[in-house]
């Protein structure tokens, strides 16, 4: 891969452009310039041998290939070769630039592996030479198929072949059509269309370089040609201009004369088309596609995308709106894609991708059974950048260029961004001048000029899997590397891990942008397998065998192990890789630890014994025994050193590994039980609490027994099918054996069952229950085994000792469940045993607070639910349950009897479940409506209302209100003699009503009588007086007179004052609160003298003062000045009275006095306030400093009110002036008649006789004054409402108006102005409040 060079290679060819050769004339004799007979042409200069020799090292040597054979899915049709050309990525450019600044030589550069960036230096050199030596101008546009055509700003077209050799130089620099704005090849590269900035279109024969057609009138003059495109038809092409129109070009040849017919497909007046793209189906593999013969054209305006078919007939097939930033252009691109259908079939259909700004849309184009073309939305993709260009590189990969000239390679299916390249150094050519119409006088719309600022439709084009970019001095090609090249590229840069990861993605078919990988799936995987294995061998040789650092080992060795396992090359893993790591302790440790994940997921079961020995020793030294045990049970026992492993397992308690080795190596499933049971038995015999390790051992034994009896292996794997029956039999026999192996004489019978029952009775019985479902235990012989085991369990637990009631209950629950199963009909258990269990569980259980009480009750519950006591006398069982305080058992029994009222007592008696009684009541009352059971529950609720209120009064009220509102009178009568309980009930009732005030149906159902409300207020005054005032102010369902008597009786001052004010006795309320305030002030003074904390009293005085101020404000609204004085001044006197004595002058009273004066100033005149203050003994004869704060506060408040008054007056004046101005403008507005003729004589109303005038009515009809009779009225509207005349106008201009209201004009042809309104407005007030605030 000749990917060498940098931007520095271009300096030899671009430096001329940077030198200012400001020479007017050269002297031939002075510089010894020989004369020439013929001036060299541009073509001869560009093809000069010396120039070609200077660039030969970087020129292309590969020719463009014909369309590739094989499947269409690969999209590998053509390829631009790049042998010896400069190839660089963005990271290389940045590195080169940095080295150029620092002056150092570039080192090895790391680049992306997907895209190959090539500068076609042969074309680039000739473009620069043409510009500088032959005045060809800068590049402006290009087109590419099997040849490349580049247009210049001076109207020339340079055509190059695949070897970068200049084939033709078309056109001349002396034409007046401006720069080349667009180019287009046909599909066989025999014709070239050239569009110019001033509107001309030319057609050339590429085979001989001749001009075939000149089309000067194919589109409106004065517009630039933005696009020229060939279609599948060789005689049909398209062009679009800067006016936004699209034209169809039909080429004809008649009598040897070539011509062209132009037809407008889309007019720019309906929206400017800025981009067109025909769908091409000339590929040989698409010859049978349903769209053959149909020519589809995708066009994009600034607001929508339109797809039309122009052959066989013109028709609009699809439109889609585009809404985005006005500075972006729409983008369109077609691609044939293999699409997986819902019925697993696959079709090859074109997919239209279009985008604008940062949003991409994908639509599939298909033909249905009726030959109708349909567009199906596939997906919508949003990106985080603004798009500049959009091109397909293959069926899954898009190349998008953003406005920062960053190229993003995007996988369409996964939306993953595969690679990003910085192309800012390319110097991309933009068609801004053509979209702004600079060559034609700028006659384009502002929207097109704004959006076309970064137009690059003709400088970024795609060809197969390659993207070509035209720079101002360079020509670039971006192509997707083949899968093999991508791997080789990474290997060349020593990025082995990335190469291996990418190779495995290819191997598992997870790769993105894959090119060059063809053939059947098995063949493809074999090729990739060989390539990845080759890279892996190189990596091991380069990294591990030749040495490296510890950090490298930590990264490289696990990766090598992973790829060896993934590729299934065990000889490499345990051969070459182990040999490389075994001689170094660090490498060996990393290698052994790298095997762990593959052992745990069973990807690596067989390990050579020498390595497994090292593995066990290493993890033993690390102390990571748990992980070691997990790995051992996943390894093949043939790989293990049994002696080493078993010694370690017994010494470290790795019980799972012990069981695994016995099972797999020795096919022995009984010995693990015989050897491990004594360990658990010894731990239980100590009577101490078991350690975590001992508990883990017991749990493992239970799981092991369960697996064996179910025919499954433990901890992993499976039991051979021919051994399943024997394993079940042997394990069951071992469990039920009378004595253990080597048992002492003192051992009790059935030791294994005893150990497991003592360890966890319930879980062991669950293990047995699962085992009894196996087919071996369902036969007659199996049932005998089950019966034997049941008898043994009864013997051990019922007749024996050492088991708790819960354990015995679990046994009988287990037995009851087994008896209830249909296949256990032969199982026999003495019924008396169940009765003994009931007696045992209910006898001496203690109160509900004792420790074993709940345990016994739960055991009895499970026994009943399992059906074990169906034969038992239910009444006796209920009596025993009540005696033992088993209220949950009682509830279950009562529920079976449908005695729901008695269940309520069970909840009330059970101290642990009292709060749950409300949930029970809610459920039962909702379930049973209008039944006898409900009436019984209702009676129980009334009888137990006290207990319910003690639990939660609000929830009790909720139950009563929502479900039992009819019981409220009964409850009130029941609680009449117990006022405190009655208050709790009413309090809950009212609280629930207030919290659910938004429920309209609740208000209707719960109508509280005034007597009940007054009773609640009276009880509140007795038991919670602090809440009386807040309740009275927020509730209205009481009678004022009766409530006032209650509050006076219980001396509720605040509530009494509120009620007095509500009855209209304002003075009474004021005097009552003033008296209370005076007493509070006296108490505050006393507290201050005694030195006691006075914060509470100060707060009370502040609250009372605030309440009195609010009361005075409300009363002042209905009082005259004398009445207001009688309200405010007593309050002022109450606050100033203590201040007359120097010892009782408190700061809080002075502060409240000042606040009161400020509040008074809105209702009492300032002189009256000053007179009262100055005459008061507290301030009489004093200095101004004593009353300074009071006076300043009063004056400040007065100034504020004066300012507020001025602002209000000015705002009102301004608003009034605006309204009057609107009315005056309406009155002066011209009036328009409906018709320009008189509604009577039908003559023009402008034709007036002497002293004749025009009369216009409000309805819009106009008349000559001589045509009307007195009184004047509209004759057209005479049968309806007769409007009065609106305006009368005479020829002398004397007009009158009877109304200032104007009608909506119906015609603007005749406008009669009304006279000036006689009123004149004064100048408006200032528009702001400057000077006031």
């Amino acid at each position: 891969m000749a990917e060498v060079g940098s931007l520095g290679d271009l300096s030899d060819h671009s430096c001329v452009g940077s030198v200012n050769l400001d020479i007017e004339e050269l002297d031939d004799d002075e510089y010894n310039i020989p004369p020439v007979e013929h001036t060299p042409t541009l073509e001869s200069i560009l093809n000069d041998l010396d120039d070609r020799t200077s660039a030969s090292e970087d020129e292309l040597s590969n020719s463009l290939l014909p369309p590739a054979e094989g499947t269409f899915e690969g999209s590998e049709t053509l390829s631009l070769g790049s042998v010896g050309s400069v190839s660089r990525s963005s990271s290389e450019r940045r590195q080169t630039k940095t080295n150029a600044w620092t002056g150092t030589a570039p080192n090895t550069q790391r680049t992306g592996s997907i895209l190959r960036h090539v500068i076609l230096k042969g074309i680039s050199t000739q473009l620069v030479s043409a510009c500088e030596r032959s005045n060809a101008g800068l590049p402006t546009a290009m087109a590419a198929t099997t040849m490349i055509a580049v247009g210049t700003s001076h109207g020339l077209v340079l055509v190059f072949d695949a070897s970068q050799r200049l084939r033709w130089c078309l056109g001349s620099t002396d034409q007046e059509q401006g720069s080349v704005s667009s180019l287009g090849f046909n599909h066989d590269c025999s014709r070239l269309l050239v569009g110019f900035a001033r509107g001309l279109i030319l057609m050339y024969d590429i085979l001989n370089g001749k001009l075939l057609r000149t089309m000067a009138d194919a589109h409106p003059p004065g517009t630039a040609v933005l696009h020229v495109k060939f279609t599948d038809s060789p005689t049909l092409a398209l062009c679009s201009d800067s006016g936004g129109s699209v034209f169809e070009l039909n080429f004809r040849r008649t009598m040897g004369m070539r011509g062209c017919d132009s037809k407008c497909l889309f007019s720019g007046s309906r929206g400017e088309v800025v981009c067109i793209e025909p769908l091409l189906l000339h590929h040989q593999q698409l010859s049978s596609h349903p769209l053959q013969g149909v020519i589809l054209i995708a066009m994009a305006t600034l607001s929508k995308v339109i797809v039309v078919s122009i052959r066989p007939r013109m028709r609009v097939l699809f439109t889609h709106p585009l809404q985005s930033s006005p500075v972006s252009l729409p983008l369109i691109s077609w691609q044939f894609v293999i699409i997986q259908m819902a019925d697993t079939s696959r079709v090859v259909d074109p997919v239209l991708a279009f985008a604008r700004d940062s949003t991409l849309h994908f639509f599939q184009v298909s033909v249905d059974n009726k030959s109708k073309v349909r567009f199906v939305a596939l997906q919508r993709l949003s990106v985080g950048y603004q798009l500049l260009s959009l091109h397909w590189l293959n069926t899954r990969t898009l190349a998008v260029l953003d406005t920062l000239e960053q190229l993003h390679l995007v996988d369409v299916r996964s939306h993953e961004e595969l690679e990003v390249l910085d192309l800012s150094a390319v110097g991309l050519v933009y068609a801004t001048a053509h979209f702004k119409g600079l060559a034609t006088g700028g006659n384009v719309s502002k929207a097109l000029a704004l959006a076309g600022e970064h137009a690059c439709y003709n400088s970024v084009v795609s060809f197969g899997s390659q993207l070509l970019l035209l720079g101002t001095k360079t020509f670039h090609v971006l192509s997707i590397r083949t899968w093999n090249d991508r791997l080789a590229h990474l290997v060349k840069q020593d990025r082995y891990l990335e190469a291996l990861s990418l190779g495995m993605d290819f191997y598992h078919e997870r790769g993105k942008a894959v090119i060059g990988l063809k053939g059947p799936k098995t063949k493809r995987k074999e090729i990739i397998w060989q390539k990845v294995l080759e890279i892996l061998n190189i990596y091991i040789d380069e990294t591990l065998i030749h040495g490296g650092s510890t950090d490298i080992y930590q990264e490289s060795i696990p990766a090598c192990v992973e790829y060896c396992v993934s590729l299934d090359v065990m000889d490499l893993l345990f051969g070459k890789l182990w040999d490389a790591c075994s001689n170094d302790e660090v490498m060996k440790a990393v290698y052994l630890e790298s095997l762990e994940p593959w052992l745990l997921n069973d990807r690596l079961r067989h390990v050579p014994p020498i390595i497994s020995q090292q593995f066990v020793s290493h993890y033993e030294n690390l102390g990571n025994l748990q992980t070691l045990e997990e790995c051992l049970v996943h390894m093949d026992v043939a790989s293990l050193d049994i002696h080493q492993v078993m010694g370690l397992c017994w010494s470290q308690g790795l019980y799972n590994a012990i069981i695994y080795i016995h099972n797999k190596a020795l096919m022995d499933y009984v010995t693990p039980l015989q050897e491990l049971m004594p360990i658990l038995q010894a731990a239980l015999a100590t009577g101490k609490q078991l350690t975590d390790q001992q508990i883990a051992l017991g749990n493992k034994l239970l799981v092991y027994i369960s697996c064996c009896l179910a025919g499954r292996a433990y901890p992993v794997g499976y039991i051979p099918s021919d051994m399943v029956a024997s394993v079940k039999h042997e394990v069951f026999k071992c469990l039920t054996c009378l004595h253990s192996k080597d048992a002492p004489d003192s051992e009790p019978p059935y030791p294994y069952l005893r150990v497991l029952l003592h360890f966890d009775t319930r879980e062991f019985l669950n293990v047995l229950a699962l085992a009894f479902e196996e087919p071996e235990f369902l036969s007659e012989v199996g049932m005998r085994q089950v019966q034997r085991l049941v008898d043994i369990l009864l013997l051990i637990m019922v007749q024996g000792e050492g088991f708790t009631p819960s354990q015995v209950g679990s046994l009988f629950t287990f037995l009851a469940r087994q008896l209830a199963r249909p296949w256990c009909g032969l199982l026999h258990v003495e019924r008396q045993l169940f009765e003994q269990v009931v007696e045992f569980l209910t006898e001496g259980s203690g109160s509900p607070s004792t420790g074993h009480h709940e345990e016994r009750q739960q055991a009895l519950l499970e026994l009943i639910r399992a059906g074990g006591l169906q034969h038992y006398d239910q009444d006796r069982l209920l009596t025993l349950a009540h005696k033992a305080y088993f209220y949950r058992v009682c509830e279950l029994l009562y529920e079976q009897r449908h005695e729901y009222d008695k269940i309520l007592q069970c909840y009330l008696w059970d101290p642990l479940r009292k709060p749950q009684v409300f949930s029970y009541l809610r459920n039962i009352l909702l379930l049973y409506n209008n039944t006898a059971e409900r009436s019984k529950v209702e009676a129980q609720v009334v009888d137990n209302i006290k207990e319910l209120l003690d639990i939660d009064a609000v929830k009790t009220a909720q139950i009563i209100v929502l479900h039992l509102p009819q019981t409220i009178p009964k409850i009130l009568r029941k609680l009449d003699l117990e006022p405190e309980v009655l208050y709790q009930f009413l309090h809950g009732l009212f609280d629930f009503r207030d919290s659910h005030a938004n429920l309209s149906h609740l208000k209707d159902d719960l109508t509280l009588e005034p007597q009940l409300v007054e009773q609640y207020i009276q009880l509140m005054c007795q038991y919670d007086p602090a809440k009386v005032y807040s309740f009275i102010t927020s509730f209205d369902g009481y009678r004022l007179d009766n409530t006032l008597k209650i509050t006076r009786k219980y001396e509720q001052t605040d509530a009494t004052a509120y009620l007095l004010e509500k009855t209209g006795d304002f003075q009474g309320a004021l005097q009552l609160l003033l008296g209370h305030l005076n007493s509070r002030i006296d108490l505050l003074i006393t507290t201050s003298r005694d030195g006691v904390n006075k914060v509470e009293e100060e707060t009370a005085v502040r609250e009372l003062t605030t309440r009195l101020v609010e009361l005075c404000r409300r009363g002042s609204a209905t009082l005259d000045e004398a009445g207001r004085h009688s309200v405010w001044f007593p309050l002022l006197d109450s606050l100033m009275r203590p201040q007359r004595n120097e010892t009782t002058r408190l700061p809080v009273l002075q502060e409240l006095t000042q606040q009161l004066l400020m509040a008074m100033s809105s209702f009492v005149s300032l002189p009256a306030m000053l007179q009262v203050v100055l005459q008061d003994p507290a301030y009489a004869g004093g200095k101004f400093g004593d009353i300074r704060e009071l006076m300043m506060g009063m004056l400040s408040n007065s100034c504020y009110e004066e300012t507020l008054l001025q602002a209000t007056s000015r705002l009102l004046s301004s608003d009034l002036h605006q309204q009057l101005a609107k009315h005056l403008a309406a009155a002066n507005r011209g009036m328009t008649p409906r018709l320009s003729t008189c509604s009577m004589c039908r003559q023009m109303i402008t034709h007036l006789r002497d002293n004749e005038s025009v009369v216009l009515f409000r309805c819009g009809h106009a008349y000559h004054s001589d045509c009307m009779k007195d009184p004047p009225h509209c004759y057209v509207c005479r049968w309806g409402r007769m409007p009065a005349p609106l305006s009368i106008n005479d020829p002398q201009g004397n007009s009158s108006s009877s109304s200032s209201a104007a009608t909506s004009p119906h015609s603007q042809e005749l406008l009669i102005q009304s006279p000036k309104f006689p009123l004149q407005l004064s100048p408006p007030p200032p528009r702001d409040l400057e000077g006031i605030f």
Side-chain angles (χ1 to χ4, degrees), residues 140 152-156 172-173 175-181 195-200 434 439:
T140 57
T152 69
S153 59
H154 290 177
L156 296 180
S172 60
T173 58
Q175 56 181 317
E176 298 180 356
Q177 291 306 319
S179 61
V180 175
S181 58
F196 292 88
R198 295 181 182 172
L200 182 66
H434 305 148

Side-chain angles (χ1 to χ4, degrees), residues 274 301-302 323-331 355-358 386-388 403 447 450-454 457:
V274 295
T301 69
L302 294 176
Q323 297 178 355
S324 58
S325 172
V327 299
S328 61
L329 283 171
L331 307 170
R356 192 179 181 195
D357 199 6
S358 60
Q386 192 176 37
L387 299 175
L388 195 65
T403 52
L450 178 63
E453 187 69 31
H454 293 90
Y457 292 119

Side-chain angles (χ1 to χ4, degrees), residues 67 234 351 416 591 709 822 870 914 1040 1079 1112 1310:
V351 171
E416 180 183 354
Y591 176 88
L709 295 179
Q870 293 180 355
K914 276 187 177 182
L1040 292 177
S1079 62
C1112 293
L1310 182 62

Side-chain angles (χ1 to χ4, degrees), residues 375-399:
F375 284 75
V376 181
L378 297 179
Q379 59 179 326
R380 180 176 178 269
L381 174 62
S382 295
V383 295
Y385 39 83
Q386 192 176 37
L387 299 175
L388 195 65
S389 178
L390 168 70
H391 294 278
W392 292 90
L393 294 186
N394 63 20
T395 57
R396 289 190 55 175
T397 311
L398 274 178

